[in-house]
């Protein structure tokens, strides 16, 4: 146990404070990004990503402040599940945005997914790419062929 | 804002399909099937029990036993499909993978924060098609997950049959940003493979052999991915997506994908 008021205790307090501030700053930036970015996909970046590091910093700060085994293990678990689930939620929202046509094509520099989906729809009358594995394989092969012929 | 036709870049990874298909190991691993586990997996039960104990917060015999019982019940009543794994994890590779991931997250968080704070500048993103070189669902999933964790890139769609990821990148405004974004995904995949895959799977993906959890020094993983672009433009690589076909064209019929790539990489330099 670290003695109250010892130098190490003070150092840990300061370190925790710095981590809290940095983590809060990242959370604020995330909110700013959500408000400022132009379309769904860009907002997903702001919503999911600075959060991961920000949360990590806040949890590390908490661990330094509380310093009890039980709490630290819970914090590790929180971070672990955040790391596992953040990509999934980002992926699902992005994918749903695509499938419901909420993606603003005019803001994208390149959009090869829409190109490929269009190619799939040209070859077969499908609306869902899960039903169209073969069509997708074919469309990709065609794209590659065109690329090499050119 | 140029909309670049980038089919040529994508083709760089095309040999992967055939190279992997000829390898029994990797080809088999790509077919997990939909059969559910009959017996609960030991890993899943242990993991669930560990989570249970961590949630309760103290390590007592009662907690461990209760955790094991709950875990067994969950695994028994909610079976999941089998995940085929034919790899050979490498300690160095895992350290590299996670060390690099942590670094990437920090660097990219700062980058995304900078983009968010830069008023008057609207980020111009894009969705890129990246064909991975390995043929395993597990590595596809892990690569997609880790890419999504790193700020600045989200996988919006993954296509299993072709091993293709569609990655949305936040800011593609700089020169060469499109190629760079592709390289980032391919490098991530290479690190996943070096951390987990067997030597056969690494060879089938067309990567240099593993040494200390990374590519052997002669050709770095990053170098391989970025060199894949000049690769396919090199004379003799031909049109075909088949590696064996194109090495026959270049008069090196007995050479594998790997050595061919290395040779051409040397030429292109």
């Amino acid at each position: 146990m670290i003695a109250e008021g010892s130098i190490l205790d003070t150092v840990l307090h300061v370190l925790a404070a710095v981590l809290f501030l940095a983590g809060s700053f990242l959370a604020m930036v995330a909110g700013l990004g959500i408000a400022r970015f132009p379309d769904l996909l860009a907002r997903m970046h702001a919503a999911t990503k600075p959060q991961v590091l920000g949360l990590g910093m806040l949890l590390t700060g908490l661990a330094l402040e509380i310093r009890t085994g039980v709490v630290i293990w819970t914090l590790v678990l929180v971070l672990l599940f955040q790391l596992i689930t953040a990509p999934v939620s980002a992926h699902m929202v992005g994918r749903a945005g695509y499938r419901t046509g909420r993606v603003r094509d005019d803001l994208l520099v390149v959009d090869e997914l829409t190109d490929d989906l269009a190619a799939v729809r040209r070859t077969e009358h499908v609306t869902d790419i899960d039903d169209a594995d073969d069509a997708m394989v074919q469309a990709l092969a065609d794209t590659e062929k065109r690329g090499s012929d050119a | 804002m140029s909309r670049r036709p980038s089919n040529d870049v994508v083709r760089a990874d095309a040999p992967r399909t055939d190279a992997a298909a000829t390898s029994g190991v990797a080809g088999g691993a790509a077919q997990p099937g939909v059969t559910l586990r009959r017996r609960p997996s030991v890993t899943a039960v242990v993991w669930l029990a560990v989570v249970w104990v961590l949630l309760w917060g103290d390590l007592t015999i009662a907690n461990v036993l209760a955790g094991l019982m709950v875990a067994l019940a969950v695994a028994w009543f909610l079976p999941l499909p089998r995940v085929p794994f034919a790899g050979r994890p490498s300690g160095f590779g895992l350290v590299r993978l996670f060390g690099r991931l942590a670094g990437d997250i920090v660097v990219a968080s700062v980058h995304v924060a900078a983009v968010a704070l830069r008023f008057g500048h609207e980020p111009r993103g894009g969705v890129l098609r990246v064909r991975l070189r390995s043929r395993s669902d597990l590595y596809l999933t892990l690569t997609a997950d880790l890419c999504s964790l790193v700020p600045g890139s989200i996988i919006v769609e993954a296509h299993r049959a072709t091993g293709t990821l569609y990655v949305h990148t936040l800011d593609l405004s700089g020169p060469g940003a499109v190629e760079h974004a592709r390289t980032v995904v391919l490098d991530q995949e290479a690190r996943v493979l070096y951390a987990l895959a067997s030597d056969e799977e690494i060879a089938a993906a067309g990567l240099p052999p593993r040494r200390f959890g990374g590519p052997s020094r002669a050709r770095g993983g990053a170098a391989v991915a970025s060199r894949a672009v000049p690769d396919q433009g090199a004379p003799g690589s031909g049109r075909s997506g088949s590696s064996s076909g194109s090495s026959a064209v270049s008069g090196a019929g007995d050479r594998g994908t790997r050595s061919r790539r290395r040779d051409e990489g040397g030429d292109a330099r």
Side-chain angles (χ1 to χ4, degrees), chain A residues 74-125:
Chain A
T74 314
L75 296 180
V76 168
L77 214 54
V78 170
L79 188 63
L80 205 59
F81 277 109
Q82 176 76 17
L83 291 179
I84 297 173
T85 52
V88 181
S89 58
H91 169 72
M92 290 320 288
V93 173
R95 185 179 155 114
Y98 244 97
R99 293 185 170 207
T100 51
R102 294 285 191 281
V103 172
R104 281 179 57 189
D105 201 35
D106 56 313
L107 289 173
L108 297 175
V109 182
V110 269
D111 185 2
E112 293 172 344
L113 178 53
T114 298
D115 296 350
D116 287 352
L117 288 177
V120 169
R121 292 204 177 99
R122 271 201 301 279
T123 50
E124 246 161 72
H125 295 287

Side-chain angles (χ1 to χ4, degrees), chain B residues 46-134:
Chain B
V46 169
W47 160 243
L48 287 173
V50 167
V51 171
W52 176 272
V53 171
L54 287 182
L55 283 175
W56 277 101
D58 44 4
L59 187 67
T60 61
I61 295 176
N63 264 345
V64 173
L65 286 180
L68 282 176
M69 276 165 63
V70 172
L72 274 172
V74 169
W76 184 266
F77 289 112
L78 305 166
L80 288 170
R82 208 167 275 283
V83 179
F85 179 64
R88 190 175 63 82
S90 141
F92 283 113
L94 287 168
V95 169
R96 271 180 188 230
L97 177 68
F98 289 112
R100 180 66 195 270
L101 180 72
D104 280 351
I105 287 180
V106 172
V107 170
S109 292
V110 172
H111 177 72
V112 172
V115 172
L117 287 174
R118 208 171 137 201
F119 289 96
H121 167 83
E122 219 171 57
R124 303 282 300 201
V127 178
L128 302 173
R129 175 201 313 111
V130 182
R131 295 196 70 173
L132 298 183
R133 294 161 290 196
S134 71

Side-chain angles (χ1 to χ4, degrees), chain A:
Chain A
M1 203 63 212
I2 298 162
E4 190 103 352
S6 70
I7 293 179
L8 185 58
D9 183 59
T10 315
V11 169
L12 288 181
H13 276 309
V14 172
L15 201 58
V18 170
L19 285 168
F20 283 143
L21 285 174
S24 315
F25 175 74
L26 281 176
M28 185 197 76
V29 168
L32 200 65
I34 294 177
R36 224 177 69 75
F37 284 164
D39 66 335
L40 175 107
L41 290 176
R43 284 187 178 131
M44 282 312 299
H45 288 283
T48 53
K49 306 316 169 55
Q51 225 107 320
V52 173
L53 184 64
L55 182 75
M57 285 177 160
L58 287 175
L59 295 181
T60 314
L62 268 180
L64 290 179
E65 274 298 299
I66 301 177
R67 297 176 217 157
T68 38
V70 181
V71 177
I72 291 178
W73 282 118
T74 314
L75 296 180
V76 168
L77 214 54
V78 170
L79 188 63
L80 205 59
F81 277 109
Q82 176 76 17
L83 291 179
I84 297 173
T85 52
V88 181
S89 58
H91 169 72
M92 290 320 288
V93 173
R95 185 179 155 114
Y98 244 97
R99 293 185 170 207
T100 51
R102 294 285 191 281
V103 172
R104 281 179 57 189
D105 201 35
D106 56 313
L107 289 173
L108 297 175
V109 182
V110 269
D111 185 2
E112 293 172 344
L113 178 53
T114 298
D115 296 350
D116 287 352
L117 288 177
V120 169
R121 292 204 177 99
R122 271 201 301 279
T123 50
E124 246 161 72
H125 295 287
V126 286
T127 49
D128 187 325
I129 70 168
D130 275 347
D131 302 331
D133 265 5
D134 292 341
M136 189 83 172
V137 173
Q138 188 57 45
L140 273 176
D142 288 349
T143 311
E144 279 167 11
K145 194 151 178 269
R146 271 202 309 280
S148 63
D149 288 347

